[in-house]
Amino acid sequence: NAGVTQTPKFQVLKTGQSMTLQCAQDMNHEYMSWYRQDPGMGLRLIHYSVGAGITDQGEVPNGYNVSRSTTEDFPLRLLSAAPSQTSVYFCASSRGLLDGYTFGSGTRLTVV
Amino acid sequence: GIQVEQSPPDLILQEGANSTLRCNFSDSVNNLQWFHQNPWGQLINLFYIPSGTKQNGRLSATTVATERYSLLYISSSQTTDSGVYFCAHSGGYNKLIFGAGTRLAVHP
């Protein structure tokens, strides 16, 4: 049972490039979400999904897109990378509202 | 939104010592959870504890929802307990709101 799998683990982008951070879970969880973690800022919610075909914005959605075409996958797209998007990104999933979260191992992104 | 305050912000322990970490929230919360972020950055869910007490080995947690706080107890601490401990609560769609964390260092 793999849990929540994030790829890649590390990535360096140039300003203006686009990329997709992958997140997959094999626990049949309905709820999935993306967070970024920055020093002194804690973890902040970017986007979340309550099921396939349903997504919504979190606290810091600007510059990011998401989609949820399947229960298993919840990719995060950076449209035009900026240095302010340098961060560690975590994907998380949960079976439902009354359950605990499982986090992926994170993606460390640097935008130069 | 609901404010989450964690204390202490930093804690240094000698191996074998016990400690209590606290999480206060400004209003009623749903689905309080405790996480440990190890020195490699991995976030591990320790407890899902909206109320009551749970124990898992040397760790236990208590949430008193009516008084708006939760406690995480670490007994007989080990160097592997080092890292940052977060409490978090979820909004209506399981959007986790994190506290600022308690940074724990356990020395041998």
Side-chain angles (χ1 to χ4, degrees):
Chain A
N1 195 345
V4 178
T5 302
Q6 287 185 239
T7 57
K9 293 190 183 304
F10 302 94
Q11 183 71 50
V12 179
L13 289 179
K14 294 182 179 179
T15 297
Q17 286 184 317
S18 62
M19 79 159 293
T20 299
L21 279 62
Q22 302 292 343
C23 176
Q25 52 91 8
D26 61 359
M27 298 173 284
N28 202 32
H29 285 176
E30 289 293 328
Y31 295 85
M32 296 186 74
S33 48
W34 279 100
Y35 294 83
R36 58 178 289 174
Q37 186 176 31
D38 303 293
M41 301 293 290
L43 285 103
R44 293 180 293 170
L45 179 67
I46 305 171
H47 285 284
Y48 67 99
S49 169
V50 300
I54 306 170
T55 64
D56 205 347
Q57 298 180 351
E59 303 172 71
V60 289
N62 292 339
Y64 307 95
N65 274 355
V66 292
S67 60
R68 184 96 180 271
S69 56
T70 67
T71 300
E72 293 78 19
D73 299 299
F74 191 42
L76 178 72
R77 297 183 190 84
L78 278 70
L79 308 174
S80 177
S84 60
Q85 294 179 304
T86 293
S87 187
V88 181
Y89 291 85
F90 287 98
C91 177
S93 75
S94 174
R95 186 173 60 184
L97 181 61
L98 300 181
D99 290 281
Y101 271 64
T102 300
F103 278 82
S105 57
T107 295
R108 186 174 296 274
L109 176 68
T110 302
V111 183
V112 297
Chain B
I2 298 173
Q3 303 299 313
V4 181
E5 292 186 359
Q6 290 190 243
S7 60
D10 296 281
L11 186 59
I12 300 173
L13 297 176
Q14 207 68 28
E15 200 169 27
N18 303 327
S19 63
T20 301
L21 282 58
R22 187 177 180 102
C23 177
N24 289 333
F25 24 94
S26 58
D27 203 343
S28 299
V29 298
N30 294 319
N31 312 332
L32 190 85
Q33 303 180 40
W34 283 95
F35 294 89
H36 175 220
Q37 187 166 37
N38 64 25
W40 296 270
Q42 192 174 10
L43 272 166
I44 305 298
N45 192 313
L46 299 175
F47 295 103
Y48 164 73
I49 185 162
S51 63
T53 298
K54 290 186 178 179
Q55 181 156 6
N56 185 0
R58 295 180 298 102
L59 302 181
S60 64
T62 296
T63 295
V64 184
T66 54
E67 297 188 19
R68 303 176 185 173
Y69 72 88
S70 184
L71 303 173
L72 178 69
Y73 305 96
I74 305 175
S75 65
S76 303
S77 58
Q78 300 176 357
T79 56
T80 52
D81 295 331
S82 297
V84 183
Y85 290 81
F86 293 101
C87 64
H89 72 92
S90 60
Y93 282 107
N94 236 6
K95 296 181 287 184
L96 279 180
I97 309 298
F98 285 81
T102 292
R103 186 172 300 274
L104 173 65
V106 181
H107 296 306

